[in-house]
Amino acid sequence: MNRWLTLPVCLALFLAVLAHPAGAGISDTDRQFIEEVVVLIKEHHGQEHDRDDLMRRATDAVATAYEKSATVAGPPPVSPAELGIKTFVASLGPHNFYATGSQARQRRAWFAGAPKARLGLIGTTTADGFAIRLIYPDGPAEKAGLLPDDLITAINGQPLPGKSRKQVAELLQGKDGEQISLTLRRGDATLNLPAVFDQTDTASVLSRRFGDRGYIWISRFNQQMEKGFQRAVGDLTPFGPAIEPVTGLIIDLRNNQGGYLRQAISLSDSFLAGGRIARVDGRHEKAPRLYDARPGEDFRGLPVVILVNAVTRSSAEIFAAALRDNDRAVLMGQTTYGKGVGQRTYKVDATGGSLTLVRTVVTPPSGKVFDGVGLTPDILLRTDKTDGFDPSLCPPLAASPFSDSGIACAIAYLKAGSVQGFYESLGGIAGPGQKLQ
């Protein structure tokens, strides 16, 4: 009797399963894709997961993406299955993500430091044009005869004053082999120089001097960073008795979005004579991995100030924290992004995309986890959105067409020799988050 009574209930359940959106629009190929992603997460993610729960959540996300795509006219730029997996992977927590095939290729090129057709220079768009801060060695700009502190005022006869940063950036890149004409101001002289766009080696590290202070800019901690840093340091080495030795070092990590952990560990080691660099914990680790500096350092106690901002993250934060926590450097700028985890990227064969998963948590020497919080600089510099010391009070860079208050304040700190001395030399004392009256 009980068996016959449950038949209507079973039928209702069966019909409900058929009508459930998790089965709607999903092909066998999609299911293979979902299965591959779930297996990777189950095996490699830093947290334990139930496989059946992962399958349910992933399938639901893909089905929802198919439902939404049915209401949009025209073919979507990304398949509904991949859109659904993107949503599902993001739900695992910050810093977990799925990349489509094209996105995965772009990401690999970023880490490898792939060349692009540009002029090979770094600078700032100002009201008067484009002020050159750094030039890539052996790049088109250097071959054309451009120098740091030159001011580009026109490109192919188009005046730069009045153009937006984006418009100037578009004019500074083109097709490989394309020739352009540059009008620039060097001191009181006006020059017209031809230049050719080239597949410039986009070095991740460049350097220059501001008097007797060395300045090193690191764009990312990619595979080329360590060699690039060694070359950049070599470029700061004085040649001949007339050139002053470097008495302080500014390392610019602003807008540096990190990269490889091993590069951050290696660079930290070169500045430290001993002590902890970082601790790495994770589900797949038999024991915490402890990274300690080897005895002896390469820079013999040279004073260091590190510039950071709200974009500085990941390996850049690990390096900055290691030096600051070991009393080897002072941080200046804005509170950093706050990404203190280790990731690993896995290829997804079903689509040619990639899956990046958080596997570990990285802790700096202080023991304070900065993931989701960021690093607070020793000297906070005010911006339009954050409070802190007014950087306009720092003496401007001498004989330079570009204005960079961060570099100017870093030089002022190196001259003062301490955080308190920095504030006192500029007219008063102001702690982090306080305005100088």
Side-chain angles (χ1 to χ4, degrees):
M1 186 68 174
N2 289 341
R3 285 167 47 199
W4 291 107
L5 284 174
T6 58
L7 181 58
V9 177
C10 291
L11 182 59
L13 289 174
F14 176 70
L15 292 173
V17 168
L18 288 179
H20 193 273
I26 299 179
S27 66
D28 290 341
T29 301
D30 293 335
R31 295 186 187 282
Q32 292 174 3
F33 172 36
I34 294 171
E35 176 76 21
E36 183 180 358
V37 169
V38 165
V39 168
L40 287 171
I41 293 172
K42 174 66 176 172
E43 292 181 359
H44 301 293
H45 192 240
Q47 298 177 1
E48 291 279 5
H49 292 281
D50 177 76
R51 183 186 178 284
D52 292 340
D53 179 62
L54 289 175
M55 283 295 297
R56 178 187 59 77
R57 291 164 56 193
T59 305
D60 283 349
V62 171
T64 300
Y66 268 107
E67 285 184 335
K68 291 181 178 178
S69 69
T71 64
V72 179
V78 179
S79 73
E82 289 189 288
L83 285 174
I85 288 299
K86 276 180 172 289
T87 301
F88 161 62
V89 174
S91 71
L92 298 175
H95 317 308
N96 297 282
F97 59 89
Y98 169 79
T100 64
S102 61
Q103 291 171 335
R105 287 191 293 274
Q106 292 173 2
R107 183 172 170 79
R108 286 194 295 270
W110 186 87
F111 275 99
K116 297 180 180 179
R118 293 179 177 171
L119 290 178
L121 46 80
I122 302 295
T124 305
T125 300
T126 71
D128 300 319
F130 184 81
I132 300 175
R133 174 162 38 116
L134 297 163
I135 291 180
Y136 289 97
D138 300 321
E142 183 177 84
K143 293 175 182 177
L146 275 70
L147 300 173
D149 295 333
D150 282 348
L151 179 70
I152 301 176
T153 57
I155 299 176
N156 286 337
Q158 294 190 48
L160 297 190
K163 292 189 179 297
S164 67
R165 183 181 303 175
K166 182 179 180 181
Q167 290 172 322
V168 173
E170 290 174 349
L171 291 172
L172 288 172
Q173 55 187 332
K175 297 179 181 179
D176 188 23
E178 178 185 353
Q179 182 168 319
I180 61 170
S181 173
L182 301 174
T183 303
L184 57 93
R185 195 168 69 215
R186 182 177 295 166
D188 296 328
T190 299
L191 305 175
N192 290 288
L193 299 176
V196 179
F197 287 118
D198 192 3
Q199 291 287 334
T200 305
D201 178 14
T202 52
S204 58
V205 187
L206 296 173
S207 66
R208 62 170 292 178
R209 294 168 64 104
F210 290 97
D212 61 346
R213 274 82 186 185
Y215 169 80
I216 298 180
W217 170 81
I218 306 177
S219 66
R220 56 199 184 278
F221 284 75
N222 64 5
Q223 296 170 349
Q224 312 301 322
M225 191 280 299
E226 194 166 1
K227 284 185 178 179
F229 194 87
Q230 293 172 357
R231 184 188 64 241
V233 170
D235 291 343
L236 295 175
T237 304
F239 294 95
I243 301 179
E244 299 177 280
V246 170
T247 60
L249 193 61
I250 302 165
I251 300 178
D252 194 344
L253 300 182
R254 292 174 297 181
N255 300 320
N256 185 313
Q257 298 186 47
Y260 291 112
L261 171 65
R262 63 177 178 270
Q263 298 283 3
I265 298 296
S266 177
L267 187 58
S268 300
D269 191 17
S270 66
F271 280 90
L272 300 175
R276 179 62 40 82
I277 296 175
R279 167 183 171 140
V280 177
D281 296 274
R283 177 167 71 94
H284 300 86
E285 304 292 333
K286 294 181 180 179
R289 274 185 288 158
L290 304 178
Y291 293 96
D292 294 318
R294 295 167 295 180
E297 67 156 294
D298 298 339
F299 296 92
R300 301 178 183 179
L302 188 71
V304 177
V305 57
I306 300 176
L307 292 174
V308 296
N309 64 6
V311 181
T312 307
R313 70 182 71 183
S314 186
S315 298
E317 291 176 292
I318 293 167
F319 168 72
L323 265 62
R324 196 258 296 273
D325 292 352
N326 281 285
D327 296 322
R328 189 62 188 83
V330 162
L331 303 191
M332 177 182 287
Q334 294 79 47
T335 300
T336 61
Y337 180 87
K339 182 186 175 187
V341 296
Q343 300 161 295
R344 187 169 295 178
T345 299
Y346 304 90
K347 182 181 178 182
V348 179
D349 294 326
T351 60
S354 65
L355 184 66
T356 299
L357 299 174
V358 171
R359 286 174 57 89
T360 56
V361 176
V362 183
T363 305
S366 67
K368 299 178 181 178
V369 175
F370 60 83
D371 187 58
V373 180
L375 303 172
T376 301
D378 303 286
I379 300 175
L380 272 168
L381 298 182
R382 187 189 311 169
T383 69
D384 293 340
K385 298 179 180 179
T386 62
D387 202 358
F389 179 80
D390 183 359
S392 67
L393 296 175
C394 297
L397 300 175
S400 179
F402 75 90
S403 174
D404 191 313
S405 58
I407 297 175
C409 287
I411 292 173
Y413 165 79
L414 290 172
K415 288 180 178 179
S418 67
V419 174
Q420 181 174 345
F422 167 80
Y423 290 124
E424 290 177 345
S425 68
L426 297 173
I429 299 178
Q434 298 177 333
K435 297 180 181 179
L436 187 67
Q437 301 298 324

